[in-house]
Amino acid sequence: MAAAVAPVGSVPRNSILSSVKLLARILLAPALLFAAVPCAAHVGSPDVYFEGAAGPYRLSASVRTPQMIPGIADLQISSATPGIRTIRVQPLYIAGEGSKYPPEPEALTQSKDDANFFTGQIWMMGSGSWQVRVLVEGDQGKGEISIPVPAFARRTLDMQRNLGILLFALMILLVAALVTIISAGAREGTLPAGETAGPRQKRTGRIAAIVSFALVIAALIGGRMWWTSSAAARASAMIYERPALNVTFDGHDSLRLQIGKTKWHSNRPEIVSTALIPDHGHLMHLFLLRAPAMDAFYHLHPASEKDGAFSATLPDIRAGHYRIFADIVRSSGFPDTLIAEMDLPEVKGAPLAGDDSAANTVVGGATGATTTEASLSDGTKMIWETGSQPLTANRLLQFSFRVQDAAGKPATGIETYMGMPLHAEIVRDDFSVFAHVHPEGSISMAALMLANQGLGTNATMQAMPDMPGMNSQQRVEESQLSFPYGFPQAGDYRIFVQIKRSGRVETGVFGAHVLP
């Protein structure tokens, strides 16, 4: 082999080194392009956390969704009710033809150390609004529940490093071999047997090597351009595209919000859809946070206009730069969180009414520490029971809160707020993460109802017991002030916990320092 590649030495050394660098750029450019594709989901929080009842069994579940579709989702399910023998799961769409033909259920693996803990994996073959149907059997009989799981490609997967090195080395070898063969053919192809190449033949060989090398590089550059274009088109069709949110201020006390359209949604009419459905009685939940300190927080519910836009009448607003998040749910159960930002002047708006709320006494800036006590506007305190363990990322946590009066006794008069004992918004200090969660977890309540419609009234009521009473004020026990969630990454977070007490919405604000 050494003798075969020796003629390449007739090409100037600097040209070879430059060509190797060019080949590296050609090979790596598409990988760098897609490594920069951002993740999406709520916002930066794609995994699903759920807590609910499957018949007589109280379950907590986490679903780590795949970054690329088709892909494998990781499931973890634990039970607060002992006596479970088996848990089987079925992945299927919530809407469309894929919802009518569920696959055979697959059994999860029961932990040898904890009989109430089960793990497993499921394939998700396409983007869209999925559900994971959970079938439980145990000492108390059978139970069933469906967990909605929005699945979408968030990025292309990087090539394995060792495979990339191998392919790059093979490419260099092939280029060298091709140039060597062409150069040798031009130099010695017309010589009689046994005759040595003279200066003229050697010059012809060098020219042939340079020309062939240039043609190979041109072919590689053309191939790179084709590959980049093709891959970008494919990624555009597959990678989730968050709809744009165009927000304008009328200069007085009103915002107008227009939702943009994306091909990602319109190309999936059955399993994603574009029509909106109410979630907690509202088509849109709008959140405004003053940046960067998050020292002003507003949770509003814009009205839908005839042209598909939304309008929000503002309460009193402090002047500043605001990060805007808008939660909507499609008729297939697929949720979108839209994002925008804008500067607002001080606004003297209408008094808060209905389900709208605000918190304007928030301490500024992330402190790098976890705070466990928040004062509410009615004189009570909200306590976050964090336990003794530090907060860590990428694991299911149970967030529990209690409210006490000035005497330190449990507060009374807590009511449901939009059908839920509480609502919570979790925001990272750089706004790269935004999640709107409830006692049932990070899933959309509207999607939960859709997913469980086929299981009958009992399963639907067990999945979301508070939703039927959305328009009434039901009493809430302190034991209900909790929710499951997992921080997607380390860092400093702000947690806004909202409850309703004696007809007034109260917001407790906490800082959370999360370790890797």
Side-chain angles (χ1 to χ4, degrees), residues 172-195:
I172 295 294
L173 178 62
L174 289 173
V175 170
L178 181 60
V179 172
T180 299
I181 292 171
I182 294 175
S183 175
R187 184 180 62 247
E188 302 173 4
T190 60
L191 291 176
E195 186 174 335

Side-chain angles (χ1 to χ4, degrees), residues 372-448:
T372 59
E373 185 175 300
S375 297
L376 306 183
S377 65
D378 63 357
T380 59
K381 290 183 178 180
M382 184 179 292
I383 310 299
W384 179 13
E385 299 177 331
T386 59
S388 58
Q389 297 297 319
L391 301 174
T392 56
N394 294 308
R395 71 183 182 95
L396 175 60
L397 302 171
Q398 187 68 29
F399 293 72
S400 298
F401 302 85
R402 56 186 172 87
V403 183
Q404 63 184 35
D405 60 20
K409 296 181 180 180
T412 59
I414 301 177
E415 308 163 345
T416 54
Y417 174 38
M418 291 186 289
M420 293 280 110
L422 64 78
H423 291 249
E425 294 76 39
I426 300 172
V427 191
R428 199 170 185 268
D429 65 348
D430 62 356
F431 299 95
S432 63
V433 174
F434 176 90
H436 180 189
V437 299
H438 318 88
E440 278 73 17
S442 62
I443 45 95
S444 155
M445 297 298 100
L448 184 60

